[in-house]
Amino acid sequence: DKGNRQFVGKNSNYFKDLAESNSGIKLLCEGPDETIYVVDENNNFGCMAYKLSNAIMMPPFNFYTANDAKKEINTIWISDDSDLYIAANTDTIYFIPGAAKLFTQNASGRMVPTYMPVIDKDSNFVTIQGARPVKKFSLGKGFIATSFAQASDERIFLIGTNKGLFEYEKRTRQRI
């Protein structure tokens, strides 16, 4: 797919997990502007703009999960460009452009959210306004990403996999 497909679906139920099952945080990463993303033990997302508030919020995207396949999130990473990368237990890598840009300054100088989550009729959190698209790509069949890091060349980042280390060019969205 080379990152061309976008998924829109139900958002995570991070807050339900905290209230009903006392699910803990299994993954955590920080990006630009002190934006923090967390993933709980049930693979649901939460985020916070730490310099504005320490409250965990719903993320600005609806992460696709198929009912017939258990998607286990292995690692998350926020690039210097504010993009969120997600590696699961498959050979697919998901990325959300601009996911770390949670707030913007309005005309009066106040910081306001760039998106609007709501609760649907089935009590699921869904981002309806300003939702970021969830895109995906693959390094190849059987290549499962396990880690991400920024390379010294800002145009490139590194992806650690079960089959070695790869360079990935941000602009072309291609493996080098």
Side-chain angles (χ1 to χ4, degrees):
D1 287 332
K2 297 186 180 184
N4 294 328
R5 291 184 63 190
Q6 298 179 17
F7 293 102
V8 177
K10 301 271 189 231
N11 208 335
S12 65
N13 286 312
Y14 182 82
F15 296 101
K16 282 184 180 179
D17 285 349
L18 287 177
E20 295 172 4
S21 67
N22 294 323
S23 178
I25 294 172
K26 76 171 185 178
L27 298 171
L28 168 75
C29 70
E30 182 178 2
D33 296 324
E34 297 178 4
T35 300
I36 295 173
Y37 270 87
V38 296
V39 177
D40 72 12
E41 293 167 345
N42 293 320
N43 297 297
N44 294 316
F45 287 89
C47 63
M48 71 173 72
Y50 197 68
K51 71 180 182 181
L52 297 176
S53 168
N54 61 0
I56 295 179
M57 308 175 300
M58 294 310 306
F61 56 87
N62 299 308
F63 192 67
Y64 174 78
T65 55
N67 293 334
D68 58 343
K70 178 68 174 147
K71 194 178 298 175
E72 185 71 29
I73 299 172
N74 296 332
T75 191
I76 56 175
W77 176 67
I78 302 174
S79 71
D80 293 340
D81 301 328
S82 297
D83 299 339
L84 176 65
Y85 289 82
I86 303 164
N89 57 341
T90 67
D91 56 17
T92 301
I93 298 171
Y94 302 88
F95 70 99
I96 298 98
K101 296 177 182 175
L102 302 175
F103 290 87
T104 189
Q105 197 169 31
N106 68 11
S108 65
R110 294 186 58 205
M111 297 302 285
V112 295
T114 58
Y115 65 101
M116 180 62 60
V118 297
I119 299 175
D120 70 7
K121 64 179 177 56
D122 298 322
S123 298
N124 294 304
F125 290 95
V126 180
T127 301
I128 57 166
Q129 180 181 349
R132 310 293 195 288
V134 177
K135 299 182 178 187
K136 67 179 187 171
F137 65 94
S138 176
L139 297 173
K141 187 163 181 65
F143 288 78
I144 299 173
T146 57
S147 60
F148 302 100
Q150 180 62 52
S152 57
D153 181 340
E154 65 185 34
R155 299 170 298 165
I156 297 169
F157 68 92
L158 306 172
I159 303 174
T161 75
N162 61 326
K163 297 188 179 188
L165 182 65
F166 294 89
E167 292 181 319
Y168 190 79
E169 209 277 321
K170 292 178 188 178
R171 185 182 56 79
T172 62
R173 302 242 183 248
Q174 296 294 317
R175 184 173 82 176
I176 299 174

